């Protein structure tokens, strides 16, 4: 099929129904979006790989077209990694290559640590594991202040403050209108239910290193 027109599917998982999109043929490659993102952030990138891979992108639970069975709650890295593991198993069991950006990079690392049989390798781009970085306390304080701004002043000021700190300038990427509307709608849920829990999470370094030589 046309790589620009992916095949969409829905996978029931505990507490949600995951929307995912598949392009191409070949070894499995899973693309994980950053916080508040969905499969559409890879619309320009995924077709470039579809001649060599079965490229899969998904909307994380509770975002865009991945509908929750109940009210929203705190998003966790582990729950999202469990969802990706279920999706890989559903699509044949892998092992899959995984590319994740930002919060998606954290999910990829947890997937590799806890489901090594399903994962061949992970490209983790800028995972915000602040506890492993210099200035961890300052980073955590800033994240807390962004959430306080969201509670006090709303999505606009909080989102702008976070984007400026993260270097997400609007002149670098202009999403299509339909995607932009979905990402904007995801913003409040990201700020309320994901930003703090993900940036305070730490990967299992021992598991990622693998068995001792």
């Amino acid at each position: 099929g046309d790589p620009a027109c992916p095949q969409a599917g829905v996978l029931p998982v505990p507490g949600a129904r995951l929307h995912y999109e598949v392009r191409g043929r070949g070894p499995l490659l899973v693309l994980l979006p950053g916080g508040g993102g969905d499969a559409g952030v890879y619309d320009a990138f995924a077709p470039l790989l579809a001649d060599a891979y079965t490229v899969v992108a998904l909307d994380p639970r509770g975002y865009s077209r991945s509908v929750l069975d109940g009210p929203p709650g705190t998003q966790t890295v582990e729950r999202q990694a469990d969802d990706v593991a279920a999706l890989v198993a559903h699509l044949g069991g892998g092992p899959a290559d995984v590319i994740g950006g930002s919060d998606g990079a954290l999910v990829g690392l947890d997937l590799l640590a806890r489901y090594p049989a399903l994962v061949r390798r992970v490209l983790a781009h800028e995972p915000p594991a602040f506890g492993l970085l210099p200035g961890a306390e300052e980073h955590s304080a800033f994240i807390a202040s962004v959430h306080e701004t969201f509670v006090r002043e709303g999505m606009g000021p909080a989102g702008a403050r976070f984007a400026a700190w993260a270097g997400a300038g609007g002149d670098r990427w202009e999403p299509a209108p339909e995607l932009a509307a979905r990402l904007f709608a995801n913003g409040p849920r990201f700020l309320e239910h994901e930003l703090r829990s993900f940036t305070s999470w730490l990967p299992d370094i021992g598991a990622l290193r693998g068995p001792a030589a």
Side-chain angles (χ1 to χ4, degrees), residues 18 47 85 87-88 110 115 131 140 159 163 170 189 197-198 200 211:
L18 298 180
L87 181 58
V88 172
D110 190 52
Y115 295 94
S140 296
R189 186 165 292 180
S197 60
F198 271 57
S200 62

Side-chain angles (χ1 to χ4, degrees), residues 15 61-63 68-75 189 192-193:
R61 61 169 53 222
Y63 291 128
L68 297 173
D69 294 341
T74 300
Q75 288 268 16
R189 186 165 292 180
E192 177 61 33
H193 296 295

Side-chain angles (χ1 to χ4, degrees), residues 6 8-11 16-21 37-43 57-68 178-179 182-183 186:
V10 176
L11 176 66
R17 288 170 288 146
L18 298 180
H19 171 92
Y20 66 93
E21 299 175 354
D38 68 24
V41 303
Y42 289 113
D43 279 350
L58 76 155
D59 299 356
R61 61 169 53 222
Y63 291 128
S64 299
R65 297 152 296 189
S66 286
V67 181
L68 297 173
E178 182 179 343
L179 172 59
R182 293 200 308 266
L183 299 183
N186 290 341

